Amino acid sequence: NGDFQFGFVNGEIHGEFITDERGDLFDFTWEGCDENDPLSGSGWFRMKGEGVIEGRIRFHDMGDDSDFLARRFK
């Protein structure tokens, strides 16, 4: 469980750790909003290095998706 901010989109995630053809990763669904418009989606991420993850986020209503890299905020 956790929270995220992706551009103007923010939300809460819920998921589980799995292993598949991409390796060990965290597979999740999310609910949130984009400038107060409700959104939901799904995605996954895996560790890429110390404090860095890479993954993909999908938006159910808009049909968009995007790869991302994220670094832990201190």
Side-chain angles (χ1 to χ4, degrees):
N1 297 326
D3 302 314
F4 73 94
Q5 179 78 38
F6 184 77
F8 291 110
V9 176
N10 62 63
E12 297 179 359
I13 64 173
H14 176 74
E16 64 183 337
F17 288 98
I18 65 170
T19 300
D20 68 9
E21 66 277 355
R22 298 166 290 183
D24 296 330
L25 53 93
F26 187 75
D27 189 56
F28 64 89
T29 58
W30 64 271
E31 290 186 359
C33 61
D34 178 8
E35 297 182 355
N36 295 323
D37 293 327
L39 288 175
S40 63
S42 60
W44 62 269
F45 62 82
R46 64 181 166 209
M47 295 301 297
K48 181 162 176 77
E50 184 68 32
V52 177
I53 61 173
E54 66 177 353
R56 187 161 196 82
I57 188 167
R58 291 179 288 280
F59 299 81
H60 291 158
D61 299 337
M62 301 182 316
D64 292 338
D65 58 0
S66 181
D67 293 329
F68 67 88
L69 284 174
R71 198 169 268 125
R72 177 173 278 182
F73 183 74
K74 294 182 181 182

XYZ file of all heavy atoms in Angstrom:
602
model
N 0.842 -1.182 0.000
C 0.000 0.000 0.000
C 0.881 1.237 0.000
O 1.975 1.215 0.538
C -0.904 0.014 1.214
C -1.868 -1.152 1.226
O -2.315 -1.594 0.180
N -2.181 -1.641 2.394
N 0.399 2.308 -0.590
C 1.174 3.533 -0.591
C 0.511 4.611 -1.418
O -0.569 4.425 -1.981
N 1.159 5.743 -1.473
C 0.692 6.901 -2.226
C 1.689 7.226 -3.319
O 2.870 6.900 -3.202
C 0.570 8.128 -1.310
C -0.373 7.897 -0.146
O -1.462 7.367 -0.371
O 0.003 8.251 0.984
N 1.218 7.924 -4.373
C 2.116 8.339 -5.436
C 1.667 9.669 -6.029
O 0.515 10.066 -5.902
C 2.214 7.283 -6.541
C 0.982 7.190 -7.402
C 0.898 7.909 -8.583
C -0.073 6.392 -7.033
C -0.241 7.835 -9.379
C -1.209 6.304 -7.820
C -1.292 7.034 -8.996
N 2.606 10.337 -6.671
C 2.364 11.556 -7.442
C 3.054 11.357 -8.783
O 4.241 11.060 -8.831
C 2.954 12.773 -6.730
C 2.761 14.076 -7.465
C 1.357 14.628 -7.319
O 0.766 14.519 -6.261
N 0.831 15.190 -8.390
N 2.312 11.477 -9.890
C 2.837 11.260 -11.234
C 2.331 12.419 -12.088
O 1.186 12.411 -12.527
C 2.342 9.913 -11.758
C 2.885 9.502 -13.097
C 4.177 9.012 -13.215
C 2.109 9.598 -14.228
C 4.675 8.617 -14.440
C 2.601 9.213 -15.468
C 3.884 8.723 -15.566
N 3.153 13.450 -12.272
C 2.672 14.660 -12.936
C 1.576 15.277 -12.092
O 1.743 15.496 -10.907
N 0.398 15.526 -12.685
C -0.737 16.067 -11.935
C -1.619 14.980 -11.347
O -2.611 15.258 -10.699
C -1.587 16.975 -12.836
C -0.894 18.249 -13.214
C -0.465 18.453 -14.513
C -0.657 19.225 -12.277
C 0.186 19.618 -14.870
C -0.008 20.393 -12.611
C 0.414 20.594 -13.920
N -1.272 13.716 -11.588
C -2.057 12.593 -11.092
C -1.514 12.170 -9.737
O -0.310 12.019 -9.558
C -1.992 11.396 -12.077
C -2.726 10.195 -11.521
C -2.515 11.795 -13.441
N -2.418 11.990 -8.764
C -2.003 11.438 -7.474
C -3.011 10.382 -7.069
O -4.150 10.380 -7.531
C -1.858 12.524 -6.406
C -3.153 13.236 -6.128
O -4.099 12.631 -5.666
N -3.207 14.525 -6.402
N -2.556 9.454 -6.245
C -3.460 8.399 -5.829
C -2.855 7.473 -4.810
O -1.756 7.704 -4.303
N -3.608 6.422 -4.529
C -3.191 5.387 -3.597
C -3.069 4.082 -4.357
O -3.868 3.796 -5.249
C -4.218 5.233 -2.479
C -4.349 6.481 -1.636
C -5.379 6.334 -0.534
O -6.023 5.260 -0.429
O -5.543 7.284 0.223
N -2.052 3.292 -4.005
C -1.844 2.008 -4.663
C -2.054 0.866 -3.679
O -1.872 1.025 -2.468
C -0.445 1.893 -5.318
C 0.664 1.949 -4.272
C -0.249 2.960 -6.366
C 2.049 1.675 -4.822
N -2.429 -0.270 -4.228
C -2.547 -1.504 -3.454
C -2.103 -2.641 -4.370
O -2.524 -2.697 -5.528
C -3.986 -1.739 -2.999
C -4.162 -3.039 -2.290
N -3.707 -3.240 -1.007
C -4.712 -4.206 -2.685
C -3.985 -4.478 -0.640
N -4.591 -5.090 -1.647
N -1.243 -3.511 -3.877
C -0.770 -4.581 -4.742
C -0.033 -5.659 -3.989
O -0.127 -5.767 -2.767
N 0.732 -6.435 -4.758
C 1.476 -7.543 -4.177
C 2.745 -7.800 -4.977
O 2.823 -7.460 -6.159
C 0.625 -8.810 -4.156
C 0.257 -9.308 -5.539
C -0.645 -10.527 -5.496
O -0.654 -11.241 -4.469
O -1.331 -10.775 -6.482
N 3.731 -8.401 -4.311
C 4.963 -8.798 -4.984
C 4.714 -10.106 -5.716
O 4.139 -11.034 -5.159
C 6.108 -8.952 -3.977
C 6.596 -7.642 -3.448
C 6.157 -7.163 -2.227
C 7.479 -6.880 -4.186
C 6.595 -5.951 -1.743
C 7.933 -5.662 -3.711
C 7.487 -5.197 -2.489
N 5.137 -10.161 -6.986
C 4.984 -11.360 -7.799
C 6.278 -11.604 -8.570
O 7.152 -10.739 -8.633
C 3.811 -11.258 -8.789
C 4.066 -10.157 -9.842
C 2.494 -11.027 -8.069
C 3.080 -10.160 -10.995
N 6.391 -12.783 -9.162
C 7.484 -13.113 -10.075
C 6.857 -13.607 -11.365
O 6.001 -14.485 -11.351
C 8.394 -14.200 -9.482
O 8.937 -13.728 -8.252
C 9.529 -14.535 -10.433
N 7.255 -12.994 -12.489
C 6.793 -13.454 -13.796
C 7.932 -13.326 -14.802
O 9.089 -13.224 -14.405
C 5.520 -12.722 -14.239
C 5.718 -11.245 -14.544
O 6.868 -10.764 -14.589
O 4.713 -10.548 -14.767
N 7.616 -13.303 -16.100
C 8.670 -13.251 -17.120
C 9.526 -11.985 -17.045
O 10.621 -11.943 -17.575
C 8.065 -13.397 -18.531
C 7.186 -12.262 -18.979
C 5.741 -12.361 -18.484
O 5.371 -13.371 -17.856
O 4.989 -11.404 -18.725
N 9.040 -10.937 -16.354
C 9.815 -9.700 -16.177
C 10.723 -9.764 -14.960
O 11.523 -8.883 -14.742
C 8.877 -8.499 -16.056
C 8.035 -8.265 -17.301
C 6.916 -7.305 -17.037
N 5.945 -7.966 -16.166
C 4.799 -7.421 -15.767
N 4.482 -6.209 -16.131
N 3.961 -8.087 -14.995
N 10.573 -10.797 -14.137
C 11.360 -10.937 -12.923
C 10.519 -10.670 -11.691
O 9.299 -10.798 -11.710
N 11.173 -10.284 -10.577
C 10.486 -9.948 -9.331
C 9.989 -8.515 -9.426
O 10.769 -7.595 -9.715
C 11.433 -10.074 -8.141
C 11.907 -11.501 -7.925
O 11.148 -12.430 -8.257
O 13.030 -11.677 -7.430
N 8.700 -8.314 -9.163
C 8.146 -6.964 -9.253
C 6.948 -6.795 -8.344
O 6.430 -7.757 -7.788
C 7.774 -6.624 -10.701
C 6.869 -7.584 -11.459
C 5.418 -7.204 -11.341
C 7.291 -7.605 -12.903
N 6.524 -5.553 -8.185
C 5.332 -5.213 -7.424
C 4.241 -4.867 -8.421
O 4.380 -3.922 -9.200
C 5.608 -4.032 -6.488
C 4.478 -3.732 -5.556
C 4.238 -4.536 -4.463
C 3.644 -2.638 -5.775
C 3.190 -4.267 -3.600
C 2.601 -2.353 -4.921
C 2.370 -3.166 -3.821
N 3.170 -5.650 -8.445
C 2.048 -5.463 -9.365
C 0.932 -4.780 -8.572
O 0.600 -5.221 -7.467
C 1.592 -6.841 -9.865
C 0.589 -6.749 -10.978
O 0.894 -6.113 -12.001
O -0.499 -7.339 -10.815
N 0.334 -3.692 -9.112
C -0.615 -2.913 -8.320
C -1.785 -2.380 -9.142
O -1.737 -2.299 -10.356
C 0.097 -1.742 -7.639
C 0.669 -0.718 -8.582
C -0.085 0.366 -9.010
C 1.978 -0.829 -9.037
C 0.446 1.313 -9.871
C 2.523 0.110 -9.897
C 1.747 1.186 -10.316
N -2.846 -2.032 -8.417
C -3.940 -1.229 -8.940
C -3.919 0.079 -8.173
O -3.325 0.169 -7.089
C -5.313 -1.921 -8.764
O -5.520 -2.174 -7.387
C -5.369 -3.210 -9.561
N -4.552 1.107 -8.743
C -4.547 2.396 -8.067
C -5.854 3.144 -8.305
O -6.553 2.906 -9.278
C -3.345 3.245 -8.481
C -3.323 3.645 -9.931
C -2.763 2.942 -10.959
C -3.873 4.817 -10.502
N -2.937 3.616 -12.138
C -3.620 4.782 -11.883
C -4.560 5.915 -9.998
C -4.029 5.786 -12.746
C -4.963 6.918 -10.860
C -4.689 6.847 -12.210
N -6.165 4.045 -7.377
C -7.278 4.973 -7.488
C -6.770 6.337 -7.082
O -5.968 6.460 -6.153
C -8.428 4.571 -6.578
C -9.138 3.329 -7.012
C -10.363 3.035 -6.154
O -10.642 3.800 -5.209
O -11.027 2.043 -6.437
N -7.228 7.359 -7.795
C -6.782 8.706 -7.479
C -7.519 9.729 -8.303
O -8.674 9.522 -8.683
N -6.821 10.825 -8.601
C -7.445 11.891 -9.370
C -6.395 12.650 -10.174
O -5.213 12.596 -9.893
C -8.226 12.832 -8.472
S -7.242 13.680 -7.229
N -6.895 13.345 -11.188
C -6.098 14.235 -12.023
C -6.803 15.578 -11.993
O -7.865 15.735 -12.613
C -6.012 13.694 -13.450
C -5.228 14.590 -14.397
O -4.620 15.572 -13.923
O -5.227 14.313 -15.605
N -6.263 16.519 -11.224
C -6.891 17.824 -11.021
C -8.358 17.667 -10.613
O -9.261 18.251 -11.197
C -6.740 18.690 -12.256
C -5.292 18.998 -12.579
C -5.136 19.907 -13.800
O -6.125 20.226 -14.458
O -3.988 20.296 -14.046
N -8.614 16.820 -9.618
C -9.924 16.542 -9.020
C -10.845 15.678 -9.866
O -11.971 15.425 -9.468
C -10.631 17.832 -8.600
C -9.904 18.552 -7.495
O -9.354 17.920 -6.593
N -9.864 19.861 -7.555
N -10.427 15.226 -11.051
C -11.212 14.265 -11.829
C -10.796 12.860 -11.409
O -9.613 12.521 -11.470
C -10.970 14.437 -13.337
C -11.496 15.752 -13.867
O -12.527 16.230 -13.346
O -10.869 16.303 -14.794
N -11.752 12.007 -10.974
C -11.392 10.668 -10.515
C -10.792 9.808 -11.632
O -11.245 9.868 -12.774
C -12.704 10.077 -10.016
C -13.786 10.980 -10.458
C -13.176 12.264 -10.915
N -9.768 9.045 -11.279
C -9.097 8.137 -12.207
C -8.768 6.842 -11.480
O -8.697 6.807 -10.253
C -7.779 8.729 -12.712
C -7.826 9.881 -13.686
C -6.412 10.391 -13.942
C -8.467 9.453 -14.982
N -8.501 5.798 -12.248
C -8.009 4.545 -11.683
C -7.156 3.859 -12.736
O -7.166 4.239 -13.911
C -9.170 3.638 -11.264
O -9.935 3.266 -12.389
N -6.420 2.858 -12.304
C -5.571 2.153 -13.244
C -4.838 1.014 -12.581
O -5.213 0.535 -11.518
N -3.759 0.616 -13.227
C -2.935 -0.478 -12.727
C -1.500 -0.231 -13.159
O -1.216 0.712 -13.901
C -3.439 -1.819 -13.266
O -3.384 -1.832 -14.682
N -0.606 -1.083 -12.730
C 0.787 -0.943 -13.132
C 1.674 -1.928 -12.408
O 1.201 -2.831 -11.717
N 2.954 -1.726 -12.577
C 3.954 -2.569 -11.920
C 5.248 -1.771 -11.798
O 5.454 -0.799 -12.507
C 4.198 -3.864 -12.699
C 4.737 -3.648 -14.082
C 3.996 -3.501 -15.227
C 6.105 -3.507 -14.461
N 4.826 -3.285 -16.303
C 6.125 -3.279 -15.853
C 7.314 -3.536 -13.782
C 7.310 -3.098 -16.568
C 8.479 -3.364 -14.493
C 8.471 -3.158 -15.863
N 6.095 -2.189 -10.864
C 7.454 -1.645 -10.798
C 8.385 -2.670 -10.186
O 7.963 -3.609 -9.532
C 7.525 -0.306 -10.065
C 7.113 -0.324 -8.624
C 7.987 -0.715 -7.629
C 5.838 0.083 -8.261
C 7.617 -0.698 -6.301
C 5.449 0.101 -6.932
C 6.329 -0.288 -5.956
N 9.687 -2.476 -10.456
C 10.729 -3.341 -9.897
C 11.939 -2.480 -9.566
O 12.105 -1.388 -10.100
C 11.102 -4.444 -10.874
C 11.710 -3.930 -12.156
C 12.040 -5.049 -13.105
N 12.313 -4.499 -14.430
C 12.093 -5.145 -15.547
N 11.608 -6.358 -15.522
N 12.376 -4.592 -16.689
N 12.785 -3.002 -8.714
C 14.007 -2.296 -8.330
C 14.957 -2.247 -9.513
O 15.144 -3.235 -10.212
C 14.699 -2.995 -7.154
C 13.913 -2.993 -5.869
S 13.502 -1.339 -5.257
C 15.110 -0.653 -4.941
N 15.532 -1.070 -9.734
C 16.514 -0.905 -10.797
C 17.898 -0.648 -10.216
O 18.895 -0.948 -10.840
C 16.120 0.236 -11.724
C 17.086 0.432 -12.868
C 16.463 1.243 -13.965
C 17.441 1.519 -15.074
N 17.645 0.354 -15.926
N 17.962 -0.101 -9.047
C 19.219 0.205 -8.380
C 18.925 0.716 -6.984
O 17.773 0.703 -6.536
N 19.922 1.166 -6.291
C 19.762 1.670 -4.934
C 18.804 2.867 -4.915
O 19.119 3.929 -5.443
C 21.123 2.077 -4.356
C 21.069 2.525 -2.927
C 20.721 1.407 -1.961
O 21.089 0.241 -2.236
O 20.098 1.692 -0.941
N 17.613 2.676 -4.348
C 16.636 3.755 -4.233
C 15.955 4.145 -5.538
O 15.297 5.177 -5.613
N 16.074 3.325 -6.596
C 15.483 3.635 -7.901
C 14.598 2.466 -8.341
O 14.974 1.305 -8.213
C 16.566 3.881 -8.976
C 15.949 4.134 -10.341
C 17.470 5.035 -8.572
N 13.408 2.800 -8.850
C 12.523 1.792 -9.421
C 12.192 2.161 -10.865
O 12.276 3.328 -11.254
C 11.213 1.622 -8.618
C 10.416 2.930 -8.583
C 11.499 1.090 -7.231
C 9.049 2.799 -7.959
N 11.850 1.148 -11.655
C 11.348 1.371 -13.006
C 10.047 0.603 -13.131
O 9.848 -0.402 -12.447
C 12.336 0.901 -14.064
C 12.566 -0.600 -14.082
C 13.508 -1.042 -15.192
O 13.890 -0.215 -16.025
O 13.864 -2.228 -15.202
N 9.146 1.102 -13.978
C 7.879 0.411 -14.120
C 7.014 0.981 -15.218
O 7.480 1.721 -16.090
N 5.735 0.649 -15.133
C 4.741 1.093 -16.108
C 3.450 1.371 -15.351
O 3.061 0.593 -14.476
C 4.525 0.020 -17.165
C 3.637 0.446 -18.293
C 3.865 -0.486 -19.496
N 3.335 0.066 -20.701
C 3.923 0.956 -21.481
N 5.104 1.415 -21.166
N 3.354 1.400 -22.572
N 2.789 2.474 -15.678
C 1.509 2.825 -15.076
C 0.481 2.948 -16.194
O 0.778 3.471 -17.261
C 1.613 4.123 -14.232
C 0.332 4.364 -13.454
C 2.010 5.315 -15.086
C 0.464 5.429 -12.376
N -0.730 2.420 -15.935
C -1.819 2.441 -16.913
C -3.017 3.183 -16.331
O -3.309 3.075 -15.147
C -2.223 1.005 -17.276
C -1.164 0.276 -18.060
C -1.569 -1.155 -18.404
N -1.568 -2.050 -17.247
C -0.473 -2.607 -16.732
N 0.714 -2.332 -17.252
N -0.547 -3.424 -15.710
N -3.711 3.903 -17.207
C -4.901 4.656 -16.839
C -6.105 3.962 -17.479
O -6.207 3.909 -18.709
C -4.807 6.093 -17.351
C -3.648 6.846 -16.779
C -2.370 6.695 -17.304
C -3.831 7.702 -15.709
C -1.296 7.382 -16.779
C -2.756 8.401 -15.169
C -1.488 8.241 -15.700
N -7.031 3.426 -16.673
C -8.155 2.675 -17.214
C -9.086 3.532 -18.060
O -9.456 3.142 -19.159
C -8.945 2.007 -16.092
C -8.193 0.897 -15.438
N -8.482 0.471 -14.176
C -7.159 0.131 -15.856
C -7.680 -0.519 -13.835
N -6.856 -0.739 -14.833
N -9.499 4.679 -17.580
C -10.498 5.498 -18.268
C -9.980 6.122 -19.557
O -10.726 6.272 -20.511
C -11.021 6.601 -17.343
C -11.704 6.024 -16.108
O -12.157 4.865 -16.168
O -11.782 6.733 -15.094
N -8.717 6.512 -19.585
C -8.184 7.217 -20.737
C -7.470 6.276 -21.710
O -7.168 6.660 -22.825
C -7.216 8.322 -20.290
C -7.869 9.344 -19.390
S -6.823 10.724 -18.866
C -5.286 9.993 -18.439
N -7.157 5.069 -21.282
C -6.459 4.127 -22.143
C -4.993 4.450 -22.340
O -4.326 3.844 -23.167
N -4.454 5.409 -21.591
C -3.048 5.783 -21.698
C -2.198 4.898 -20.803
O -2.673 4.330 -19.827
C -2.836 7.244 -21.283
C -3.453 8.229 -22.240
O -3.676 7.859 -23.407
O -3.722 9.354 -21.824
N -0.911 4.825 -21.129
C 0.053 4.170 -20.261
C 1.407 4.821 -20.459
O 1.633 5.500 -21.454
C 0.112 2.664 -20.488
C 0.456 2.275 -21.913
O 0.653 3.164 -22.752
O 0.535 1.077 -22.182
N 2.272 4.641 -19.488
C 3.577 5.287 -19.546
C 4.602 4.493 -18.756
O 4.312 3.997 -17.667
C 3.480 6.704 -18.970
O 4.723 7.353 -19.040
N 5.811 4.368 -19.307
C 6.939 3.841 -18.551
C 7.429 4.946 -17.626
O 7.257 6.134 -17.908
C 8.080 3.444 -19.486
C 7.721 2.269 -20.376
O 6.917 1.418 -19.945
O 8.234 2.204 -21.495
N 8.053 4.557 -16.504
C 8.593 5.571 -15.599
C 9.816 5.054 -14.858
O 10.021 3.854 -14.719
C 7.533 6.050 -14.599
C 7.104 4.998 -13.595
C 7.798 4.833 -12.400
C 6.009 4.196 -13.834
C 7.417 3.874 -11.475
C 5.613 3.233 -12.916
C 6.312 3.078 -11.735
N 10.627 5.991 -14.405
C 11.693 5.777 -13.435
C 11.388 6.662 -12.252
O 10.963 7.808 -12.423
C 13.051 6.195 -13.997
C 13.719 5.266 -14.993
C 14.974 5.919 -15.554
C 14.084 3.936 -14.344
N 11.592 6.163 -11.058
C 11.321 6.944 -9.851
C 12.476 6.782 -8.876
O 13.066 5.707 -8.760
C 10.024 6.509 -9.203
N 12.775 7.839 -8.183
C 13.843 7.861 -7.189
C 13.241 8.264 -5.845
O 12.395 9.143 -5.804
C 14.908 8.873 -7.611
C 16.211 8.689 -6.935
C 17.307 9.530 -7.579
N 17.961 8.730 -8.595
C 18.105 9.090 -9.858
N 17.645 10.246 -10.265
N 18.724 8.309 -10.719
N 13.668 7.601 -4.781
C 13.157 7.903 -3.451
C 13.414 9.362 -3.103
O 14.521 9.871 -3.268
C 13.810 7.002 -2.415
C 13.364 7.315 -1.001
C 13.877 6.341 -0.037
N 12.963 5.207 -0.105
C 13.081 4.140 0.641
N 14.056 4.025 1.490
N 12.212 3.172 0.546
N 12.381 10.035 -2.634
C 12.473 11.448 -2.224
C 12.927 11.504 -0.786
O 12.384 10.828 0.075
C 11.105 12.119 -2.386
C 11.101 13.560 -2.060
C 11.681 14.479 -2.928
C 10.528 14.018 -0.898
C 11.675 15.824 -2.644
C 10.522 15.358 -0.607
C 11.090 16.263 -1.479
N 13.962 12.298 -0.540
C 14.481 12.427 0.832
C 13.904 13.635 1.505
O 13.709 14.653 0.945
C 16.000 12.519 0.799
C 16.627 11.257 0.328
C 18.129 11.355 0.349
C 18.717 10.053 -0.164
N 20.157 10.038 -0.136
